[in-house]
Structure formats: C-alpha cells, structure tokens
Amino acid sequence: MNRAIVHMDLDTFFVSCERLQESKLNGIPVIIGGGDRGVVASCSYEARYFGVRSAMPIKMALRLCPEAKVIRGDYERYSKFSKEVTEIIQEKVPVLEKASIDEFYMDLSGMDQFFGCYQWTKEIADSVTKNTGLPISFALSTNKTVSKIGTGESKPVGRFEIPAPDIKSFLNPLSVRKIPMVGDVTFQLLSRIGIRKIKTLAEMPVTVLQQMIGKNGGELWKKANGIDLTPVVPYSERKSLSSEHTFTNDTMDIFELKRLISSMAESLAYQLRAEKWLTSTVVLKIRYANFDTETRQCKISYTSIDHTLARVALDLFEKLYTRRMRLRLVGLRFTNLVHGTYQMNLFEDSEELMNLYQAMDRMKNRFGKNALGRASGFELASLNV
C-alpha cells in the first residue's frame, strides 16, 4: 500500500490569531515578540517582504521595517486556537501527530480508495478555516520530509500534492536548507564544498556524507533522495512533567534542599525543551518526617526556561516550608503544558538568553543532560571544592 502522508501548517499562526481579534492588522506588517531587547517570535508576510524573520532581534526588525506594528503576544490565546484546530482535525483523520502548536502530520494511507486523499485533505483544511477563521496550508506526499518541504513551498494558503514519481523533480532544484534537519552549521559545511542544491546532495556518495557529518550523514542523504520511513506518531497530550526525591535520611538542610529544587527545575526544563513543551503552572510538594504532605502552586506565563522555573520553585519552597521539622521528600511538577519550544519564550526573553539556552541544549544533547548546568544545582562535593 502506498503511503499518503499530509503535513499541515497554520500560516503565520500568531499573527493570524491577532488579526482575528483586530481587523486593523490585516494587510499591514505585524511583528509578534518581546520588548526592545527581545526577538521576533512570528511576523506577517508583509513584514517578511522587508527581510524580517523569526528569531531576529526586535531592534533589527524595526530598522528593516519601521512601519511594523509590534505586539507582545498572548500565548494562552494561541494555545486555545491550537486546541480548536487539533480537535477539528482529530475528528476527521485516522492518525494525527501534533508536531508543534501550529503544525500537524496525518497518515491517510489506504483512504484514497474510498475518498481520494487530496480531496479529503482539502476538505479538512477548508473546515479548519471555516470554523476558526485561521488560514492553513498543506502538502500531501508519501512521507513526512517531502510533505513538510511541500507545505513550505506552497505557502501562503497552499494546497500541494507531490506524487511518488514527481518527488525527485520537486526536490532537486531546491536549496539544501529546505531539508528539515539542515541547520546553519550543516548548511555552511555543505556550502564550503559547493553543495547548495538538493540534487547535488542526493548524488553524493552516502559514505562521503557520513565522513563529513557523522551518523546523520546517512539520514541526510535519504531525505535528499526523498526517502523517509518515519511513522506518524498518534497524538496524545502530555498532562505534566514531574520529579520527586526521597531522602535516605530526613533533612532540614536548607542549602541542600534549595540545591535539589534548583537541580530538579533545570532537569525538568531541559526535558520540556527536548519534548517541545511549555508550562504555565509550577507545583512544589514537600513531605515532612511525620508524613504530613503539603503542596503549593503558582501560575506563570508559558515558558521552558530554567532560571524562571527555578526561581518560581524556590519562591514556593520559601512559602511552603514553614515548620522547623525535617523533610523526607521534595517533589516538583510542571503542569498545564502546551506545545512549543524555547523560541516561544521570545515574548519575554532576549536574543542573548535564547542563544545561551540553544548552546546549552546542544551540549546536553551531545554529552548528556548532566554535562553542564547552573552552579546552584550541583553538589559541592561533585565539584571538588
């Protein structure tokens, strides 16, 4: 059976949500992002015309497009719209994967004999726009990679089908940057040896790519040749992330307790980013030596940033731990999760901070999550001080 994989992407999602609330934003350059030191979280096509792009410093974006309307953004509103879209699609397809707050994969394999996959997908997209007012693009092909690239090429409000015989002719003239796994570092490496088009990459011996890039070289070669067997993973919403520590000996060592809470927050925040989640609620639990258990929680703006979550967790500890009694357990939980990455924190954080966390996560991905971290989360004994 031929695979039929659809990629759907809500067009300039944050901007579209704002335009539904304020029609005066239609047709003008719009930038969604943080304050003066923040960066662009999203922008309209009118702003992109001037060279504005996501993750660009707000100050630079306004130099390029001084007429742009800057809006801080409301992640709670965007999450609500995303949930509505998810529910509409989920009712109509057999297998749905929610890749991010505004991005979806569907496996319609086998449905062509009953409905015609392209027509079925078009009706789903039309239903999303009719019921929410949000524009959405899609591409249909035999795998995730080709469909995702197809959606990008079809925007805005694109409807695109790439049958198996047309995959090579579709991919070949495109830049290698169009391949989802190609970041700035890989692109620069390939460019230095003259590989800028997917066709050139696809014709390279796979062994050469593996020598250049490592184990990802083989995957990159497959994607350049339109080969991707990655399945569409059925969507299920994670409710929370949590961590608990039971002490071998009950303790009231404040320094050790705060160190542990900081370490838990950092570890859970890294897991949030790795799994592309943001949290809006921090819950701290303590259990005294007599087994009395108390919890306290705090609502915050959506984030996955260590220092914000650790600060909130420590504030909760200060308010919760009021008895001079030994503790036997400390627990930390992040709940009310929504899909997103640390780039969504651009509403609040600066470009420098975003770059710092990207660099830290790359190190942790390569050497393990305990390879580096904040000094406040490490045991002094482990640091040999």
Side-chain angles (χ1 to χ4, degrees), residues 101-119:
I101 193 171
D102 60 353
E103 186 179 10
F104 309 86
Y105 289 101
M106 288 154 268
D107 190 340
L108 305 184
S109 302
M111 294 184 68
D112 52 329
Q113 58 184 311
F114 303 109
F115 308 105
C117 289
Y118 180 83
Q119 183 60 30

Side-chain angles (χ1 to χ4, degrees), residues 58-320:
I58 294 285
K59 286 185 177 179
M60 181 184 296
L62 288 175
R63 283 199 295 269
L64 293 172
C65 186
E67 301 302 315
K69 173 74 172 178
V70 179
I71 300 172
R72 177 167 286 274
D74 183 344
Y75 203 86
E76 199 154 349
R77 180 192 302 158
Y78 307 152
S79 300
K80 179 176 175 288
F81 274 115
S82 177
K83 185 176 181 182
E84 289 178 15
V85 173
T86 304
E87 289 172 352
I88 292 168
I89 299 174
Q90 211 163 20
E91 288 179 356
K92 301 177 183 295
V93 300
V95 184
L96 171 69
E97 176 182 334
K98 188 172 182 178
S100 70
I101 193 171
D102 60 353
E103 186 179 10
F104 309 86
Y105 289 101
M106 288 154 268
D107 190 340
L108 305 184
S109 302
M111 294 184 68
D112 52 329
Q113 58 184 311
F114 303 109
F115 308 105
C117 289
Y118 180 83
Q119 183 60 30
W120 185 251
T121 307
K122 183 177 180 299
E123 290 176 6
I124 294 171
D126 290 343
S127 179
V128 167
T129 302
K130 178 182 177 182
N131 286 282
T132 68
L134 295 168
I136 192 166
S137 297
F138 74 79
L140 165 67
S141 192
T142 61
N143 62 63
K144 282 182 166 183
T145 295
V146 179
S147 295
K148 182 175 175 67
I149 295 174
T151 305
E153 292 302 291
S154 72
K155 285 188 170 190
V157 197
R159 308 284 193 267
F160 200 10
E161 182 175 12
I162 309 122
D166 298 339
I167 287 176
K168 294 287 286 184
S169 60
F170 164 67
L171 292 177
N172 280 343
L174 300 177
S175 166
V176 294
R177 295 199 81 146
K178 300 289 185 177
I179 300 175
M181 67 183 295
V182 175
D184 290 338
V185 174
T186 303
F187 177 71
Q188 295 299 330
L189 177 62
L190 295 172
S191 294
R192 283 198 291 270
I193 60 172
I195 302 174
R196 295 181 177 85
K197 300 293 184 182
I198 291 179
K199 183 177 188 295
T200 311
L201 182 62
E203 292 174 348
M204 279 193 70
V206 66
T207 52
V208 174
L209 273 176
Q210 288 172 329
Q211 290 171 357
M212 286 177 53
I213 302 173
K215 62 181 181 181
N216 289 330
E219 282 302 309
L220 185 57
W221 182 87
K222 287 179 183 178
K223 291 181 186 296
N225 282 278
I227 302 168
D228 180 8
L229 301 179
T230 308
V232 174
V233 181
Y235 168 70
S236 61
E237 194 72 73
R238 181 191 270 275
K239 301 299 182 183
S240 65
L241 284 174
S242 62
S243 177
E244 289 188 353
H245 180 85
T246 302
F247 297 102
T248 305
N249 298 307
D250 299 344
T251 183
M252 55 191 302
D253 183 336
I254 298 296
F255 180 84
E256 170 60 18
L257 290 166
K258 289 184 175 181
R259 182 206 64 77
L260 179 62
I261 291 168
S262 293
S263 178
M264 283 180 167
E266 185 173 353
S267 180
L268 289 175
Y270 170 67
Q271 191 175 347
L272 284 173
R273 297 192 298 273
E275 297 183 17
K276 297 183 179 179
W277 293 105
L278 301 171
T279 181
S280 66
T281 307
V282 178
V283 183
L284 187 76
K285 176 171 75 173
I286 60 174
R287 181 169 295 149
Y288 289 97
N290 64 355
F291 285 89
D292 284 352
T293 302
E294 297 179 10
T295 63
R296 193 154 185 167
Q297 69 178 44
C298 179
K299 289 280 290 181
I300 59 174
S301 298
Y302 283 102
T303 188
S304 61
I305 294 299
D306 299 7
H307 71 274
T308 300
L309 294 166
R311 184 184 68 245
V312 173
L314 290 170
D315 285 346
L316 288 173
F317 176 72
E318 293 280 0
K319 295 171 182 174
L320 193 59

Side-chain angles (χ1 to χ4, degrees), residues 348-365:
E348 303 294 337
D349 296 313
S350 67
E351 181 192 17
E352 294 85 355
L353 200 57
M354 185 189 74
N355 290 337
L356 170 64
Y357 276 99
Q358 287 177 329
M360 288 175 64
D361 286 349
R362 284 196 296 269
M363 293 288 286
K364 290 182 178 184
N365 293 340

Side-chain angles (χ1 to χ4, degrees), residues 3 23 38 40 76 110 112 198 208 217 285 327 331 341 367 374:
R3 298 176 79 206
S23 60
V40 176
E76 199 154 349
D112 52 329
I198 291 179
V208 174
K285 176 171 75 173
L327 294 180
T341 68
F367 299 108
R374 296 176 179 276

Side-chain angles (χ1 to χ4, degrees), residues 309-351:
L309 294 166
R311 184 184 68 245
V312 173
L314 290 170
D315 285 346
L316 288 173
F317 176 72
E318 293 280 0
K319 295 171 182 174
L320 193 59
Y321 186 38
T322 57
R323 293 192 247 172
R324 299 303 296 167
M325 184 184 296
R326 294 180 183 274
L327 294 180
R328 63 178 290 107
L329 177 144
V330 172
L332 184 63
R333 179 161 55 97
F334 299 154
T335 187
N336 290 334
L337 306 184
V338 296
H339 271 287
T341 68
Y342 45 73
Q343 288 199 1
M344 302 308 172
N345 293 291
L346 308 186
F347 301 146
E348 303 294 337
D349 296 313
S350 67
E351 181 192 17

